[in-house]
């Protein structure tokens, strides 16, 4: 590796080290329900989402309920993306008139974006409609990361909470991961 390469790696490592404490503290406050600097703006949206989806944020889940909620959400997301890719030829925002994905390619793509591995066996610009890219892949890039964050938070709660048999609420953790962590980072 060149000197510039080593300097870039050192700079990236230093930036990560600098961000660990402030981002970790921020995320701790978000996932423990404490106010943060975005609370005034995001809390009304968060509350509206809970009301619309009929989520009770104070109701915590045991590990089985948490895992079932995650699997249920993932199954719906997988099915949604699979059907979208299999029917994109008949949907709007397809000015290039791309055809539908073959069953195995739609399956592979849906699984890879569901698991946030994003393994692509296609060329997106020459096989996917704008709609499929926007409400399919871009959506999954956000929610699969949010699911990963929620599961990480639940795992940490499981290690720390020795006096309780609950891990939090999957829906709340995922909502907060999107609204307080992923969206602000994507804007920055």
């Amino acid at each position: 590796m060149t000197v510039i390469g080593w300097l870039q790696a050192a700079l990236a490592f230093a930036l990560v080290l600098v961000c660990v404490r402030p981002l970790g503290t921020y995320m701790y406050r978000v996932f423990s329900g404490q106010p943060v600097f975005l609370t005034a703006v995001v809390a009304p949206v968060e509350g509206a989402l809970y009301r619309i989806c009929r989520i009770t944020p104070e109701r915590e889940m045991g590990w089985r309920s948490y895992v079932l909620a995650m699997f249920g959400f993932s199954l719906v997301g997988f099915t949604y993306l699979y059907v979208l890719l299999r029917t994109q030829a008949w949907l709007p925002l397809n000015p290039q008139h791309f055809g539908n994905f073959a069953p195995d390619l739609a399956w592979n793509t849906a699984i890879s974006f569901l698991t946030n591995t994003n393994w692509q066996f296609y060329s997106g610009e020459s096989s996917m409609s704008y709609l499929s890219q926007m409400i399919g892949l871009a959506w999954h890039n956000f929610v699969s990361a949010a699911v990963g964050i929620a599961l990480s938070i639940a795992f940490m709660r499981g290690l720390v909470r020795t006096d309780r048999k609950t891990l939090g609420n999957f829906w709340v953790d995922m909502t907060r991961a999107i609204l307080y962590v992923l969206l602000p980072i994507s804007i920055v």
Side-chain angles (χ1 to χ4, degrees), residues 16 60 86 163:
V16 168
E60 294 206 353
R86 294 284 295 134
D163 59 332

Side-chain angles (χ1 to χ4, degrees), residues 15-80:
L15 286 173
V16 168
L17 282 178
V18 166
C19 292
V20 166
R21 183 169 291 284
L23 186 58
T25 302
Y26 173 78
M27 289 180 69
Y28 172 78
R29 292 179 61 85
V30 165
F31 290 104
S32 62
Q34 298 175 28
V36 294
F37 69 95
L38 290 174
T39 301
V41 176
V42 177
V45 175
E46 181 183 11
L49 285 172
Y50 294 154
R51 281 190 299 282
I52 290 168
C53 298
R54 297 173 35 194
I55 296 168
T56 307
E58 300 81 27
R59 189 173 143 243
E60 294 206 353
M61 302 173 165
W63 75 268
R64 285 183 181 92
S65 298
Y66 203 98
V67 168
L68 286 174
M70 184 273 302
F71 278 133
F73 179 79
S74 296
L75 179 64
V76 169
F78 167 79
T79 305
Y80 157 74

Side-chain angles (χ1 to χ4, degrees), residues 1-168:
M1 192 159 42
T2 66
V3 172
I4 296 292
W6 283 106
L7 288 174
Q8 287 175 336
L11 178 64
F13 186 74
L15 286 173
V16 168
L17 282 178
V18 166
C19 292
V20 166
R21 183 169 291 284
L23 186 58
T25 302
Y26 173 78
M27 289 180 69
Y28 172 78
R29 292 179 61 85
V30 165
F31 290 104
S32 62
Q34 298 175 28
V36 294
F37 69 95
L38 290 174
T39 301
V41 176
V42 177
V45 175
E46 181 183 11
L49 285 172
Y50 294 154
R51 281 190 299 282
I52 290 168
C53 298
R54 297 173 35 194
I55 296 168
T56 307
E58 300 81 27
R59 189 173 143 243
E60 294 206 353
M61 302 173 165
W63 75 268
R64 285 183 181 92
S65 298
Y66 203 98
V67 168
L68 286 174
M70 184 273 302
F71 278 133
F73 179 79
S74 296
L75 179 64
V76 169
F78 167 79
T79 305
Y80 157 74
L81 184 56
Y82 180 81
V83 170
L84 180 71
L85 296 174
R86 294 284 295 134
T87 61
Q88 79 172 355
W90 308 305
L91 298 174
L93 295 177
N94 189 3
Q96 295 93 346
H97 305 290
F98 292 130
N100 299 327
F101 271 38
D104 58 339
L105 185 56
W107 180 275
N108 180 60
T109 304
I111 287 291
S112 74
F113 275 84
L114 174 75
T115 58
N116 206 0
T117 52
N118 301 354
W119 186 60
Q120 298 176 8
F121 194 67
Y122 57 88
S123 177
E125 293 77 24
S126 63
S127 60
M128 298 192 74
S129 71
Y130 296 138
L131 185 74
S132 296
Q133 291 181 60
M134 287 187 307
I135 70 168
L137 304 186
W139 168 254
H140 271 281
N141 278 333
F142 259 79
V143 297
S144 64
V147 168
I149 291 170
L151 291 176
S152 298
I153 296 297
F155 178 75
M156 287 184 271
R157 284 186 190 131
L159 294 176
V160 172
R161 291 182 175 179
T162 56
D163 59 332
R164 290 195 242 173
K165 294 188 184 278
T166 59
L167 297 176

